[in-house]
Amino acid sequence: MAAPSIAMEVNCQSNFKLSKGEKKSLRKQNKARHTLLRHEGIEAVSYSTQWKELGLQALPPGLTVVEEIISSEEEKMLLELINWTEDINNQNCQKSLKHRRVKHFGYEFHYENNNVDKDKPLLEGLPDICDSFLEKWLAEGYIKHKPDQLTINQYEPGQGIPAHIDTHSAFEGEIVSLSLGSEVVMDFKHPDGVTVQVMLPRRSLLVMTGESRYLWTHGITPRKFDTVQASEHYKSGIITSDIGELTLKKREIRTSFTFRKVRHTPCTCSYSLVCDSQRKETPPSFPESDREASQLEQEHVHRVYEEIAGHFSSTRHTPWPHIVEFLKALPDGSIVADVGCGNGKYLGVNHELYMIGCDRSKSLVDICRERRFQAVVCDALAVPVRSGACDACISIAVVHHFATPERRVAALQEIVRLLRPGGKALIYVWAMEQERNNQKSKYLRRHRISQGKKEEIESDRATEGVLEQLSDMGSQDAASSVASIDAAQEKEPSSKKVANSELPVHTNRTSFHSQDVLVPWHLKIKTSKDKPAEPFGSVGSHDPSPVFHRYYHVFCDGELEATCQALSNISILQSYYDQGNWCVVLQKI
């Protein structure tokens, strides 16, 4: 849904004395205003606003919500089935995840790849009590295959589950989820950016088939309140944009039973572009050597930016304020290198500097030259500039494209080599933490549909559109030379390096759950002079346009500083977090 401003009168004149009741009401309004802003991205203002129609007012194709699928007595029986205090050696015992508690039956569901190990079934199958429900759903046509895998999740208020698509090759064509104990709003997102919020009532059954199962991501935003329809008669379905009918509802403890049927044959769905069974190329794995890392960067960094250069450049136009501040604070006449300059948007920020840019992409460097900027084609590990020649350097959204800790250290060392003693460098990398101090980064917040049409979702070279209008961004343990960051890593799922493990494909505009990821860029292909083609066709179609995957290593809190400290000839002057990026200012000693 869109992120409108809600009319809420919060102002009062200093010379107007409020009664005790009015003060209490004002406090409640302020609390509600902060809740809306924090959890929904809705800003309250003191004047009336008007909603505009959203681009989609229907459930995703193939999605069904069946209300009151079980009785309250059956709900109680199922909830009593769960023993969260079982012996930890029990295969079906509680798993302690950051976002919730979970149990698995039949097969363990692995959240790092949304898959199961088909060769390692659990000793116990599904609980016997589930059999009668499953037979009934089979008879009524909600499912075509009897499930043999069950995941039970328990959500406390404020907990959620990241947006994801269950792996195509892992499960058959329908996935069903039973909601117990409380209702919740689930978010569904099409690859083009269309987001639909669906109410799942207590004792309802969510059935995902077809497009909703194979193409749309689904997840639950971690928050303590949901924005829901105020009407008592409204239960399931889309949360509409009628402002007069919306209210906040506090979440309660919710338990979900999600049933799946493990697939033993390749998936033959109609969504071949996103289907792991039908991909023509083998997805890249974590690099095991410097040679493999170089090949990964060549295929999933260098080649991709060469292919998307024109489209990428069209979305790179607004310099980020803190970087502008750094450049404008430099003395007039300073020689500055922009390592990884892209289309050169920082090369003309301060005309009192002598700036030279370099980038691995010839097409991007050509764009710089068209704009009359000085730029050369080179690798960031071997910049053709004399050592000590620069008074300052910037490297924005570049270092995170190097695939091993050693290569990231080498990239920083090359930047330092260019500096004269006392010279400064500003480094930006993409952060794994896209929510900080209870505030989501603009990268996460910009997933909503705004002003009556779909927001254009472009991928980004870092959080490189965080401060721009159009962007869509799209692990290894550190080497011994870099301080360990294990304590800072997300616990669910694991981000450890696994031999021969495929790199996960990140879902744009969602939180990260692995440090090493492939981030999609949906290339817009113009079909006419003014109208670009839809990257995945219209909602419900099967004709997507090209999608490229770029490699990123997203940095945990403290990791960039630790990587810099592997260098012997620098001091860190400043480190900070800037809208989904970790940033340092360092000085050559």
Side-chain angles (χ1 to χ4, degrees):
M1 58 186 290
S5 296
I6 286 184
M8 183 183 297
E9 181 60 63
V10 296
N11 295 329
C12 61
Q13 299 296 329
S14 58
N15 60 351
F16 181 75
K17 188 174 182 180
L18 297 176
S19 68
K20 185 176 181 180
E22 288 171 329
K23 290 179 180 178
K24 183 177 180 181
S25 175
L26 185 61
R27 286 196 298 270
K28 287 184 176 180
Q29 289 181 30
N30 281 327
K31 183 178 179 181
R33 179 164 56 90
H34 290 302
T35 300
L36 282 168
L37 182 60
R38 179 190 301 176
H39 296 295
E40 297 290 344
I42 298 175
E43 182 179 1
V45 296
S46 59
Y47 52 87
S48 297
T49 60
Q50 185 175 0
W51 281 76
K52 294 187 179 181
E53 283 299 311
L54 296 180
L56 185 70
Q57 292 292 339
L59 291 172
L63 188 71
T64 304
V65 180
V66 186
E67 296 181 17
E68 296 295 335
I69 193 73
I70 62 172
S71 66
S72 57
E73 291 77 15
E74 290 171 325
E75 176 189 41
K76 180 180 179 183
M77 185 169 55
L78 286 171
L79 289 173
E80 289 175 348
L81 165 72
I82 312 166
N83 179 9
W84 293 108
T85 59
E86 287 180 11
D87 182 78
I88 196 167
N89 294 320
N90 188 307
Q91 284 199 64
N92 296 334
C93 72
Q94 168 190 342
K95 301 290 183 181
S96 297
L97 302 180
K98 179 177 179 180
H99 299 286
R100 61 202 179 280
R101 296 197 294 185
V102 62
K103 287 176 178 286
H104 304 288
F105 297 85
Y107 296 84
E108 181 176 355
F109 186 87
H110 297 289
Y111 288 97
E112 64 270 21
N113 57 9
N114 297 313
N115 208 330
V116 296
D117 188 338
K118 299 175 184 179
D119 297 325
K120 294 182 179 180
L122 300 176
L123 293 178
E124 296 183 42
L126 275 59
D128 294 338
I129 194 175
C130 297
D131 197 63
S132 60
F133 298 116
L134 297 177
E135 292 292 347
K136 179 181 177 183
W137 300 343
L138 276 166
E140 294 177 350
Y142 295 126
I143 54 177
K144 297 178 181 179
H145 308 86
K146 189 172 181 178
D148 54 8
Q149 193 277 332
L150 167 63
T151 298
I152 301 177
N153 284 287
Q154 184 186 79
Y155 301 86
E156 299 279 347
Q159 295 179 327
I161 186 169
H164 65 283
I165 298 174
D166 291 14
T167 301
H168 290 203
S169 64
F171 308 108
E172 293 290 351
E174 67 270 335
I175 295 174
V176 297
S177 186
L178 183 64
S179 293
L180 306 176
S182 178
E183 63 188 12
V184 77
V185 173
M186 181 171 280
D187 302 317
F188 289 83
K189 184 177 179 182
H190 188 272
D192 278 346
V194 175
T195 300
V196 178
Q197 295 184 315
V198 179
M199 171 63 75
L200 304 182
R202 182 176 180 176
R203 295 188 294 276
S204 70
L205 183 69
L206 171 70
V207 183
M208 292 182 288
T209 64
E211 184 175 309
S212 66
R213 181 264 190 265
Y214 288 121
L215 188 60
W216 293 64
T217 63
H218 61 279
I220 298 173
T221 302
R223 58 191 176 214
K224 294 185 178 180
F225 292 83
D226 279 325
T227 303
V228 302
Q229 301 298 133
S231 172
E232 295 181 0
H233 303 291
Y234 184 89
K235 291 186 177 180
S236 65
I238 290 180
I239 307 301
T240 68
S241 59
D242 184 353
I243 191 169
E245 296 294 330
L246 293 180
T247 188
L248 284 178
K249 183 174 178 61
K250 190 172 184 178
R251 285 186 182 175
E252 299 176 8
I253 295 175
R254 173 181 173 269
T255 302
S256 67
F257 281 53
T258 301
F259 297 92
R260 308 172 180 90
K261 171 64 177 176
V262 173
R263 183 191 294 274
H264 295 283
T265 58
C267 177
T268 58
C269 69
S270 301
Y271 308 92
S272 57
L273 185 69
V274 292
C275 179
D276 62 307
S277 290
Q278 302 178 60
R279 279 197 298 244
K280 295 180 181 179
E281 299 179 359
T282 302
S285 301
F286 290 102
E288 295 290 319
S289 65
D290 188 76
R291 177 175 172 273
E292 290 182 5
S294 178
Q295 291 175 339
L296 175 64
E297 294 162 14
Q298 175 64 36
E299 182 66 18
H300 289 280
V301 181
H302 307 159
R303 186 183 71 83
V304 172
Y305 280 110
E306 199 63 31
E307 293 280 354
I308 69 173
H311 183 203
F312 175 82
S313 179
S314 70
T315 67
R316 308 303 93 193
H317 45 73
T318 306
W320 302 351
H322 288 294
I323 302 170
V324 172
E325 181 182 342
F326 175 84
L327 291 172
K328 291 197 170 182
L330 295 173
D332 291 353
S334 294
I335 299 173
V336 183
D338 184 348
V339 180
C341 63
N343 68 348
K345 73 176 182 180
Y346 292 108
L347 296 180
V349 164
N350 185 350
H351 296 292
E352 302 304 320
L353 305 177
Y354 293 99
M355 292 197 68
I356 183 170
C358 64
D359 200 280
R360 186 60 176 73
S361 168
K362 180 180 182 300
S363 296
L364 287 173
V365 169
D366 286 344
I367 293 172
C368 292
R369 291 170 176 169
E370 290 172 4
R371 296 176 175 178
R372 301 187 180 279
F373 295 137
Q374 298 295 320
V376 298
V377 177
C378 72
D379 194 296
L381 296 180
V383 180
V385 173
R386 176 170 53 83
S387 299
C390 298
D391 299 295
C393 293
I394 61 173
S395 180
I396 311 303
V398 175
V399 175
H400 54 219
H401 283 308
F402 288 96
T404 65
E406 295 83 359
R407 291 174 70 82
R408 293 188 282 274
V409 170
L412 292 174
Q413 184 65 69
E414 181 67 357
I415 292 169
V416 172
R417 181 189 68 80
L418 303 179
L419 295 172
R420 62 168 174 79
K424 299 177 182 179
L426 174 62
I427 315 292
Y428 267 58
V429 296
W430 207 1
M432 186 168 184
E433 299 83 358
Q434 291 296 310
E435 185 169 352
R436 187 167 171 82
N437 298 327
N438 294 321
Q439 291 291 326
K440 292 182 179 180
S441 68
K442 290 185 179 180
Y443 166 64
L444 293 183
R445 295 204 305 270
R446 287 183 184 272
H447 78 285
R448 300 178 180 274
I449 308 305
S450 63
Q451 300 298 319
K453 67 176 183 178
K454 291 185 297 180
E455 181 183 10
E456 282 197 31
I457 305 296
E458 313 290 353
S459 290
D460 207 6
R461 195 171 186 178
T463 47
E464 187 132 42
V466 164
L467 301 176
E468 301 188 24
Q469 291 299 316
L470 301 173
S471 66
D472 194 22
M473 299 293 308
S475 114
Q476 301 171 343
D477 297 329
S480 58
S481 62
V482 180
S484 173
I485 58 169
D486 287 348
Q489 290 180 346
E490 177 83 36
K491 299 299 183 185
E492 178 219 351
S494 171
S495 60
K496 292 182 180 179
K497 179 178 177 180
V498 180
N500 300 318
S501 177
E502 293 180 0
L503 287 167
V505 177
H506 176 61
T507 300
N508 282 326
R509 299 202 170 278
T510 65
S511 299
F512 290 103
H513 305 286
S514 179
Q515 282 192 269
D516 291 87
V517 293
L518 298 175
V519 177
W521 176 282
H522 304 297
L523 185 65
K524 302 281 187 182
I525 299 178
K526 300 222 172 194
T527 55
S528 66
K529 182 176 180 180
D530 301 314
K531 184 179 179 181
E534 299 290 350
F536 279 82
S538 59
V539 174
S541 76
H542 302 164
D543 186 25
S545 295
V547 177
F548 297 91
H549 292 93
R550 296 156 300 143
Y551 167 80
Y552 285 85
H553 172 86
V554 291
F555 280 65
C556 286
D557 186 2
E559 183 181 359
L560 180 56
E561 293 96 320
T563 305
C564 291
Q565 287 166 356
L567 308 177
S568 61
N569 55 342
I570 64 101
S571 63
I572 297 176
L573 301 181
Q574 185 183 7
S575 62
Y576 59 95
Y577 178 88
D578 184 10
Q579 284 294 346
N581 295 275
W582 290 116
C583 323
V584 297
V585 177
L586 56 83
Q587 185 173 40
K588 185 173 183 178
I589 299 174

